[in-house]
Amino acid sequence: MADVSTGFQRETFAADTTIFRAGDAGEAAYVIDSGCVEILLGPEGAQRRIEVLAEGAMFGEIALLDGLPRSATVRTLVPTRLIRIDRSHIEGLLQQADPVVQYLVKVLLDRVRSERAARLELEGFERQSPRSATELDPDERLHMAALRTLSLAQSLSDGLRLGQLEVHYQPIVWLSDGRVAGLEALVRWRHPALGLISPDEFIPLAEKTGLIHRVGEFVMQRAAADWAQLRGLCWGQAGAPAFMSVNLSAPELCAPGAMQRIQACLAEHRMRPDELHIELTESIVISSVEVVTHVVQALRGLGVGVALDDFGTGYAGLGYLQTLPFSCLKIDRSFVERLHRGERSFHIVKSALELSALLGMSTVAEGIEDAETGEVLRRMGCTFAQGFFFARPMLLVDLLPWLQARADVASDLAG
Ligand code: C2E
Ligand code: CA
Ligand code: CA
């Protein structure tokens, strides 16, 4: 009988039934629901009982995990009911697990195998054949991946403590007149041995290890603190004040108290809610629509801007735009860079701009690297632009003089 909730199967066996023989493939492990079994070792005809297992015990688990043939034969002694756990089920779970967990399972498995082999050798049984080099290779790779994850995770925690994380700011400009409207805060890790590490490398690691909450808090606090020096150098318009944009990951968004922390940060740094934009990627929105809906509505209720980041990369329909009151749509670089290379990108960007206008959202085109693309987007009605053509992300010390120089030019023009 299959248990619908777990996918595990219960099977009943008569007394003296062989469940599996030595040499069989390890396709399933069993938990004894009722009854008992004997474990037999040794060659056919000269088998010796080494153990009797009763209710609650598990057998076949090692072969199930490492896929090597069974070393023992198992036979029921009385009518016995077993819960069957299929290998495919466990493999699926292990594949989803963190490399560290996968690696721990492998280490424990090898240890149990070698201890068992040594014990059996002592008892006069044949030793298991050693693993071939090809079998060891994936383990080796797993070992390396796990060690790298563990060591980077450990040093990221140290890096946070030692102040190795820094926030760079990339200007976002009004396409209408090229003035700086706001900034996006982008985190980097200045590793003492490895140099500047990109967020694409360490944010996923931080998300897996839970360090993302400390990383996120650091970025939010630093950006809000620096805004005091930056707001006067950016240009707002009626109903659209100058802004600081901060990226939020899924675990941060879903954490209890996320909203209170944002509010406390705004209050501490005397930042107006409408001066803060939170950027959420389309993939986050799709993966947890319910939480996101709640948070986006709460943020908008506070007056904080919420931008839909990497728009167009999530392969989602547009249904969620009906319920999620985003204030801004950021069109992903992959569409912007192909704008004058293909009709399709042009139509996609055009539709996104029209949709935003209809829904009352502003638009940012990401990744503009040349003047022509900026000009095309300006004529198409896009509100803001961000890209290396205008400015790369900069540290505050470099950004302040850069903004100052631009503000001087802008005020000369105005005067
Ligand atoms: P994103 O939010 O899409 O940020 C824009 C990325 O595009 C930045 O990469 C920026 O440097 C890059 N970029 C901007 N203009 C151009 C351009 O013209 N050409 C090209 N080729 N690239 C351009 P960066 O700083 O490496 O950040 C990568 C991603 O890491 C960000 O993508 C964001 O998803 C994530 N990230 C960065 N900082 C944070 C953070 O504080 N928290 C979280 N959760 N994620 C962050
Ligand atoms: Ca972003
Ligand atoms: Ca983006």
Side-chain angles (χ1 to χ4, degrees):
M1 190 198 358
D3 180 335
V4 183
S5 62
T6 61
F8 300 139
Q9 194 122 2
R10 278 192 172 74
E11 292 171 27
T12 305
F13 298 88
D16 204 28
T17 310
T18 301
I19 307 299
F20 55 71
R21 280 172 216 287
D24 282 358
E27 293 306 332
Y30 298 87
V31 175
I32 303 174
D33 201 22
S34 64
C36 62
V37 302
E38 59 176 350
I39 314 287
L40 303 164
L41 268 185
E44 255 331 299
Q47 284 179 329
R48 196 147 61 90
R49 179 195 284 179
I50 57 157
E51 224 171 341
V52 172
L53 299 177
E55 203 174 303
M58 183 185 230
F59 60 90
E61 74 282 12
I62 302 298
L64 175 83
L65 283 168
D66 66 11
L68 294 178
R70 320 274 182 165
S71 50
T73 298
V74 177
R75 190 181 302 143
T76 56
L77 290 170
V78 295
T80 298
R81 199 163 57 163
L82 301 174
I83 302 169
R84 183 187 157 99
I85 305 167
D86 282 315
R87 173 131 66 112
S88 57
H89 184 79
I90 300 299
E91 273 174 355
L93 291 176
L94 270 179
Q95 272 161 19
Q96 288 163 30
D98 190 276
V100 177
V101 175
Q102 295 183 32
Y103 179 59
L104 281 176
V105 170
K106 288 278 177 204
V107 169
L108 290 174
L109 215 57
D110 284 347
R111 191 167 299 161
V112 170
R113 274 255 174 214
S114 60
E115 276 170 11
R116 254 191 202 184
R119 200 178 73 221
L120 295 180
E121 205 170 34
L122 271 180
E123 289 171 7
F125 291 105
E126 236 179 289
R127 185 185 256 284
Q128 295 289 314
S129 56
R131 288 157 175 236
S132 71
T134 48
E135 275 176 320
L136 282 176
D137 278 347
D139 285 5
E140 234 356 71
R141 278 201 296 277
L142 203 53
H143 183 171
M144 297 309 290
L147 285 186
R148 207 171 37 243
T149 305
L150 281 171
S151 90
L152 264 187
Q154 180 54 49
S155 48
L156 178 55
S157 177
D158 293 344
L160 270 158
R161 195 167 39 79
L162 298 171
Q164 291 166 1
L165 259 60
E166 46 192 53
V167 179
H168 292 215
Y169 300 101
Q170 187 175 30
I172 298 173
V173 304
W174 289 101
L175 265 170
S176 53
D177 58 13
R179 289 196 289 193
V180 177
L183 303 156
E184 179 173 3
L186 295 160
V187 69
R188 275 106 182 79
W189 177 11
R190 200 170 290 276
H191 191 285
L194 303 173
L196 206 61
I197 303 182
S198 134
D200 281 332
E201 275 185 65
F202 72 87
I203 291 285
L205 177 74
E207 288 175 350
K208 268 195 213 163
T209 54
L211 288 170
I212 189 65
H213 301 287
R214 285 170 62 198
V215 174
E217 185 64 16
F218 164 76
V219 174
M220 180 76 78
Q221 285 289 341
R222 174 55 46 86
D226 289 346
W227 183 241
Q229 295 179 68
L230 292 165
R231 66 153 65 79
L233 296 166
C234 298
W235 298 76
Q237 280 185 2
F243 61 89
M244 171 66 80
S245 241
V246 174
N247 294 280
L248 231 66
S249 291
E252 292 178 82
L253 195 72
C254 301
M259 205 56 51
Q260 287 80 349
R261 276 193 292 281
I262 292 174
Q263 264 182 299
C265 180
L266 290 172
E268 183 185 341
H269 299 284
R270 296 172 189 280
M271 194 171 177
R272 284 205 338 245
D274 58 3
E275 291 178 312
L276 176 67
H277 287 191
I278 296 292
E279 298 196 2
L280 305 177
T281 62
E282 201 183 31
S283 55
I284 295 181
V285 174
I286 299 161
S287 65
S288 29
V289 166
E290 275 174 27
V291 183
V292 170
T293 304
H294 173 74
V295 175
V296 173
Q297 285 171 348
L299 284 169
R300 298 295 292 132
L302 287 178
V304 172
V306 184
L308 180 58
D309 203 357
D310 302 347
F311 179 70
T313 59
Y315 304 103
L318 298 171
Y320 61 85
L321 287 178
Q322 289 179 11
T323 46
L324 290 168
F326 290 106
S327 52
C328 177
L329 198 112
K330 296 192 80 171
I331 302 169
D332 191 67
R333 177 158 61 94
S334 53
F335 299 104
V336 172
E337 69 186 3
R338 277 188 248 128
L339 200 57
H340 47 252
R341 275 196 261 139
E343 284 271 293
R344 295 177 82 85
S345 293
F346 179 84
H347 290 303
I348 291 170
V349 172
K350 194 163 182 292
S351 310
L353 293 174
E354 284 167 2
L355 183 71
S356 313
L358 285 170
L359 296 176
M361 297 184 281
S362 60
T363 38
V364 179
E366 295 190 292
I368 296 183
E369 296 189 353
D370 57 74
E372 298 91 282
T373 308
E375 182 51 24
V376 171
L377 283 154
R378 189 187 65 78
R379 276 191 264 119
M380 287 169 86
C382 183
T383 330
F384 303 111
Q386 180 178 0
F388 294 169
F389 172 68
F390 300 99
R392 287 185 178 254
M394 287 174 261
L395 277 169
L396 184 71
V397 284
D398 303 316
L399 178 67
L400 284 171
W402 186 91
L403 281 174
Q404 192 62 57
R406 276 184 84 104
D408 291 345
V409 172
S411 60
D412 281 354
L413 287 175

